[in-house]
Amino acid sequence: MMQGKKVVAVIPARYASTRFPGKPLVDLGGKPMIQRTYDQVASVPGWERIIIATDDERIFSVAKKFGAEVMMTDESHQSGTDRCAEILSYLDSPVDYLVNIQGDEPFINPDQLLELSSGFASNAPILTLVKEIHDELTLFNTNVPKVVMDDQHNALYFSRQTIPYLRGVATEDWFDHHHFFKHIGLYAYRTDVLPILSQLPVSSLEKAEMLEQLRWLQHGFQIKLIETQHETVGIDSPSDLEKIKKLGFL
């Protein structure tokens, strides 16, 4: 049990990737990436189950070899959310939340999973993490989604642009006038809501920003934000492998 809730961790892992084919199986210091991600998740107590969700027999086979529970899912899924929804349909006992941990987060900090679990007591339909931005490079990087929130820490909007825009303030002074937050793509879905999310049509805001979570906001779903102090180190391309080595992760 986590915060009195039954929670299943799902790790979606696709073999196909435009920038990094076969990424979940790349060797990281003697272990495939998917195993390192699984081990980080498994270090957190309280899960009902931890399930790797894949569409590829090679990933399925490797996961079985290191002892993980793994399920095959439809290869046509467009997102990890859709893959999680399929896993939910296979569960034989009721649970309260599914947590979506991306398979390319082999160095996810277990404390982030505990931080996310602290929100289960709120019974929010969707939970995710944010981290305060402290440098201009991140603040103005359009590859880093930003988020603004209300006073109850519910998301108002996500954007690749810097939000909010501080009118009349020189950009080098923005940190003196406002706290800015970036989004970290770790999600928990309440299980009565997840099937609905997976059936929603793509929204105009999602098309504009290419951010899936805007679909949920545009259709009226609340997203509760939880602040983390921990950085994430995702791997999106082969060049990121050198980056993590320099950072001392391997």
Side-chain angles (χ1 to χ4, degrees):
M1 299 287 282
M2 288 185 167
Q3 304 291 321
K5 305 289 187 181
K6 292 184 178 181
V7 185
V8 169
V10 179
I11 307 174
R14 295 173 60 249
Y15 189 90
S17 170
T18 303
R19 288 183 291 177
F20 201 165
K23 180 169 55 172
L25 300 183
V26 68
D27 183 88
L28 297 178
K31 289 183 179 181
M33 182 188 298
I34 189 64
Q35 184 175 357
R36 285 191 174 272
T37 303
Y38 179 89
D39 288 347
Q40 292 296 94
V41 176
S43 70
V44 176
W47 305 110
E48 290 289 306
R49 296 163 72 176
I50 303 171
I51 303 170
I52 294 174
T54 189
D55 58 1
D56 189 271
E57 290 287 353
R58 289 161 290 190
I59 296 173
F60 184 94
S61 177
V62 167
K64 278 290 187 183
K65 285 180 181 177
F66 66 76
E69 182 178 5
V70 56
M71 294 183 180
M72 290 294 293
T73 52
D74 196 305
E75 62 182 15
S76 67
H77 289 314
Q78 297 299 305
S79 69
T81 303
D82 294 338
R83 216 168 289 282
C84 286
E86 183 177 350
I87 292 296
L88 177 62
S89 72
Y90 298 149
L91 300 184
D92 51 11
S93 59
V95 297
D96 299 300
Y97 278 95
L98 252 65
V99 175
N100 177 356
I101 302 108
Q102 298 180 52
D104 59 358
E105 292 282 355
F107 306 107
I108 185 170
N109 193 315
D111 286 344
Q112 289 185 313
L113 296 170
L114 293 173
E115 289 167 338
L116 188 71
S117 72
S118 71
F120 294 154
S122 71
N123 209 38
I126 308 167
L127 296 152
T128 192
L129 295 183
V130 297
K131 187 177 187 299
E132 188 168 358
I133 299 170
H134 296 287
D135 65 280
E136 288 190 22
L137 185 63
T138 301
L139 184 63
F140 298 107
N141 183 349
T142 54
N143 291 318
V144 178
K146 272 72 71 175
V147 60
V148 288
M149 66 187 82
D150 66 19
D151 290 342
Q152 285 72 49
H153 288 234
N154 298 310
L156 291 171
Y157 192 71
F158 296 84
S159 180
R160 296 186 181 277
Q161 291 290 347
T162 307
I163 51 175
Y165 176 82
L166 301 190
R167 184 177 179 183
V169 179
T171 54
E172 61 267 24
D173 297 327
W174 278 19
F175 287 120
D176 296 328
H177 292 78
H178 193 79
H179 294 281
F180 297 89
F181 292 90
K182 68 176 181 178
H183 177 228
I184 293 176
L186 177 66
Y187 294 107
Y189 320 97
R190 209 173 64 210
T191 52
D192 63 322
V193 171
L194 178 55
I196 302 171
L197 298 180
S198 70
Q199 296 300 314
L200 293 175
V202 175
S203 73
S204 58
L205 292 176
E206 178 186 7
K207 286 181 181 178
E209 299 257 18
M210 296 304 292
L211 295 173
E212 179 191 19
Q213 60 270 35
L214 289 175
R215 183 191 315 185
W216 311 333
L217 282 184
Q218 194 166 356
H219 283 93
F221 287 90
Q222 177 196 69
I223 303 177
K224 177 71 71 176
L225 305 177
I226 297 174
E227 185 176 355
T228 179
Q229 302 301 318
H230 302 287
E231 196 56 80
T232 57
V233 184
I235 300 176
D236 297 317
S237 66
S239 63
D240 289 335
L241 295 177
E242 292 303 315
K243 178 180 69 176
I244 63 172
K245 289 177 182 177
K246 290 179 182 178
L247 291 171
F249 285 94
L250 290 176

